[in-house]
Amino acid sequence: MAAPPSSPMLPWRTRIQLSIVSKFTDASRRHDGTVNRRLLGFFEYGIKTLADSNPMKGVRTSDVTIDSSRNLWFRLFVPTQLNIQNDSQLPVIVFFHGGGFVYLSPDVKSYDIVCRRFACKIPAVVISVNYRLAPEHRYPAQYEDGFNVLEFLVSEKSVLPENADLSRCFLAGDSAGANIAHHVAKRACESKFKDIKIIGLMAIQPFFGGEERTKAEVELAGIDLLVSVGRTDWMWKAFMPEGEGMDRDHEVINVSGKNAVNISVLDFPATLVVVAGFDSLKDWQRRYYEWLKHNGKEAYLVEYQNMIHAFYVFPELPESGHLISQLKDFVHEQCQKIK
């Protein structure tokens, strides 16, 4: 039996993209905890894409403003090529992008492509949220924005296509976006929405942490191409306001730790947790899955042993397409339960 690789096996194209992203994000981080948005704007100028009402690859898109004063908006992805038997009610996926709470947006090409694939392949109506970014806007701004999107969908149903079914709603996100999706799901459970039902959560390599240094964080130092202790420590400081108890063992960071919220009393949705073998955050992600199970929640773990953090945004990787299939199966299985 062959030994597992000591480093991720990636195409040069993927490695070059990762190197460019890492260099620009590192260069934008200032020692005083702020971000050089002008430098980032120069970088992002070439990687953003406009919404397009003309169908492209079976999906049309539009941007919907919720609150212009805080630049809260979402990109709506609507599949246009459906089989007759499937051309009825579609599930709704509310998606939160990654970027350590500090970077990126729904109109970045990689996330536009990802959400387009979700909409087409699952199929589903996808809502990709532009939430406020740290450090200009710290916790709990991102969670408030996410919850406000759900409130907006309930009060302004007309922005959605007629076949969007809010009784089959999923929250999803990758990295920091998966952290947001978890906390928005928790608040939605506590709020007992009547006109929207969250039946599933897709946590793709969620960004959790703690004061402890895990085995993966130590062993993958210098191997993980995107995530490092230095980067994540900086992001947590940018995200959390200063004050007593605002460290990495706070309940919103170390969700399964000593300060964890009791979710056993909540009707928390079925959760799919995605983990990769070369992701420094994988120990925190597995603990999250185990914590859900310990609290009696329906949870599933999907592992990609030879992949990196954010692997699925690179369509050239076969595992990216495989994960889309896994998400599709999860959505369909949860929808079948409420028929």
Side-chain angles (χ1 to χ4, degrees):
M1 185 174 181
S6 57
S7 62
M9 305 296 289
L10 299 172
W12 279 109
R13 174 185 174 184
T14 308
R15 288 184 175 273
I16 291 170
Q17 289 177 308
L18 286 166
S19 177
I20 292 172
V21 169
S22 296
K23 288 185 184 302
F24 266 93
T25 54
D26 286 347
S28 72
R29 291 188 286 119
R30 298 188 178 113
H31 293 296
D32 64 359
T34 62
V35 174
N36 187 338
R37 294 290 178 193
R38 180 174 295 182
L39 176 63
L40 279 181
F42 172 78
F43 169 64
E44 292 179 348
Y45 178 79
I47 62 171
K48 289 197 174 185
T49 184
L50 297 174
D52 193 345
S53 59
N54 296 314
M56 184 174 69
K57 294 185 178 180
V59 178
R60 60 180 170 85
T61 59
S62 58
D63 292 340
V64 178
T65 299
I66 297 177
D67 185 350
S68 58
S69 68
R70 51 180 156 146
N71 197 29
L72 177 59
W73 56 274
F74 62 79
R75 178 156 292 181
L76 178 66
F77 298 78
V78 179
T80 58
Q81 296 178 352
L82 298 174
N83 296 328
I84 294 176
Q85 66 268 27
N86 291 331
D87 197 10
S88 55
Q89 295 299 100
L90 290 175
V92 175
I93 299 174
V94 180
F95 178 81
F96 301 95
H97 66 82
F101 303 101
V102 176
Y103 304 107
L104 305 176
S105 59
D107 53 359
V108 168
K109 287 181 181 178
S110 58
Y111 280 114
D112 184 87
I113 292 171
V114 160
C115 290
R116 196 175 293 274
R117 293 171 76 192
F118 287 169
C120 181
K121 299 294 185 181
I122 289 178
V125 173
V126 178
I127 292 162
S128 183
V129 180
N130 188 70
Y131 54 85
R132 287 171 289 177
L133 298 177
E136 294 88 348
H137 304 283
R138 298 177 185 266
Y139 161 79
Q142 295 75 16
Y143 304 150
E144 290 174 349
D145 288 351
F147 186 75
N148 290 161
V149 170
L150 299 186
E151 293 178 315
F152 180 84
L153 295 177
V154 170
S155 63
E156 303 291 342
K157 295 185 182 70
S158 61
V159 303
L160 298 177
E162 291 184 0
N163 60 346
D165 185 359
L166 287 175
S167 70
R168 294 186 295 159
C169 185
F170 293 78
L171 299 181
D174 69 318
S175 196
N179 177 301
I180 296 171
H182 165 81
H183 290 291
V184 172
K186 171 182 167 293
R187 184 169 174 184
C189 291
E190 295 167 340
S191 301
K192 302 185 187 305
F193 277 117
K194 292 183 179 180
D195 296 321
I196 186 170
K197 176 65 175 176
I198 311 298
I199 66 170
L201 169 62
M202 294 178 281
I204 304 170
Q205 299 177 278
F207 186 23
F208 298 129
E211 289 295 319
E212 173 195 350
R213 297 303 186 202
T214 67
K215 181 180 179 182
E217 287 174 322
V218 174
E219 292 184 348
L220 292 176
I223 297 175
D224 191 324
L225 302 176
L226 196 60
V227 178
S228 68
V229 167
R231 288 172 183 157
T232 57
D233 281 0
W234 188 94
M235 288 172 178
W236 288 129
K237 287 181 180 179
F239 175 63
M240 296 299 290
E242 294 182 358
E244 185 177 352
M246 294 296 179
D247 59 21
R248 294 192 305 275
D249 280 331
H250 190 280
E251 65 184 56
V252 301
I253 298 175
N254 192 351
V255 292
S256 59
K258 61 183 180 181
N259 298 315
V261 173
N262 179 18
I263 65 164
S264 65
V265 297
L266 299 178
D267 185 21
F268 201 79
T271 303
L272 180 71
V273 184
V274 179
V275 177
F278 288 100
D279 183 353
S280 297
L281 301 173
K282 66 181 180 180
D283 291 341
W284 297 112
Q285 296 156 0
R286 289 196 184 108
R287 290 183 191 182
Y288 173 61
Y289 162 77
E290 292 164 359
W291 173 70
L292 290 171
K293 297 286 285 186
H294 177 75
N295 280 277
K297 304 308 170 187
E298 183 181 351
Y300 306 90
L301 183 68
V302 176
E303 298 192 65
Y304 291 85
Q305 293 293 346
N306 297 326
M307 285 293 99
I308 58 169
H309 192 80
F311 73 91
Y312 87 115
V313 303
F314 300 100
E316 65 269 19
L317 299 177
E319 290 83 356
S320 176
H322 184 269
L323 178 57
I324 299 291
S325 296
Q326 293 278 80
L327 299 179
K328 175 181 178 178
D329 291 345
F330 175 75
V331 169
H332 287 190
E333 287 170 6
Q334 298 308 315
C335 288
Q336 288 293 326
K337 294 177 180 179
I338 64 171
K339 283 189 175 182

